Amino acid sequence: MSQQKVKPVPNGMHTVTPHLVCRGAADAIEFYKKAFGAVESARLPGPQGKLMHAMIRIGDSAVMLVDEFPDCGALGPKSLNGSPVTIHLYVEDVDATVERAVAAGAKVTTPVDDMFWGDRYGQVEDPFGHHWSVATHIRDLSPEEIQAAAAKACG
């Protein structure tokens, strides 16, 4: 019997996949469903009702989640008093997506606006402390046009 070669990156995955630690990962999954249209694809329950692993898909991308396990060094942004990481999400309609995220419990940290690099863009913080930038690409610009627009916008 011959063995088939295992792919180093499984089907349906990309080479970079966010893996979020959340205080209340099951609640986070529900939030991401409401806010970003996420679809749950895996869930591995662990001790005391915590999730040892879960995976959702937002658009064509996977996002892994786990509950906080302080004894294993797994702490989320709420326990760490913030996060330096922002997850970028491209969508068809940034305004509608940000509105939906706010209705689900997110807080706007940068209002949606047309940006000099060609995106309509805004930022939210989800109820679990993760930062999301949300954008719809509205204009194709050359690197030179972006640099000139940046100089004008940032002055």
Side-chain angles (χ1 to χ4, degrees), residues 70-139:
D71 294 345
C72 299
L75 299 170
K78 294 290 187 178
S79 293
L80 296 171
N81 295 319
S83 172
V85 175
T86 300
I87 303 162
H88 189 72
L89 177 62
Y90 272 114
V91 297
E92 290 287 324
D93 184 341
V94 63
D95 295 278
T97 300
V98 168
E99 282 180 29
R100 194 168 70 228
V102 168
K107 175 179 72 173
V108 172
T109 56
T110 301
V112 174
D113 201 356
D114 293 348
M115 297 296 174
F116 66 85
W117 59 84
D119 288 353
R120 186 156 174 76
Y121 172 95
Q123 291 186 2
V124 298
E125 181 179 321
D126 72 31
F128 308 91
H130 294 285
H131 302 263
W132 295 78
S133 56
V134 186
T136 300
H137 189 66
I138 57 172
R139 287 186 322 276

Side-chain angles (χ1 to χ4, degrees), residues 6-111:
V6 175
K7 293 181 178 183
V9 178
N11 288 335
M13 298 298 289
H14 300 289
T15 54
V16 176
T17 302
H19 194 170
L20 307 180
V21 178
C22 298
R23 184 185 302 162
D27 292 336
I29 291 169
E30 294 309 309
F31 168 80
Y32 297 135
K33 286 178 181 178
K34 291 176 190 166
F36 303 133
V39 175
E40 184 176 337
S41 55
R43 184 183 290 229
L44 177 61
Q48 296 131 4
K50 290 184 172 188
L51 293 181
M52 293 181 66
H53 175 75
M55 191 163 61
I56 58 175
R57 296 196 77 76
I58 300 174
D60 66 355
S61 300
V63 177
M64 296 180 186
L65 296 97
V66 64
D67 261 302
E68 287 189 332
F69 287 94
D71 294 345
C72 299
L75 299 170
K78 294 290 187 178
S79 293
L80 296 171
N81 295 319
S83 172
V85 175
T86 300
I87 303 162
H88 189 72
L89 177 62
Y90 272 114
V91 297
E92 290 287 324
D93 184 341
V94 63
D95 295 278
T97 300
V98 168
E99 282 180 29
R100 194 168 70 228
V102 168
K107 175 179 72 173
V108 172
T109 56
T110 301

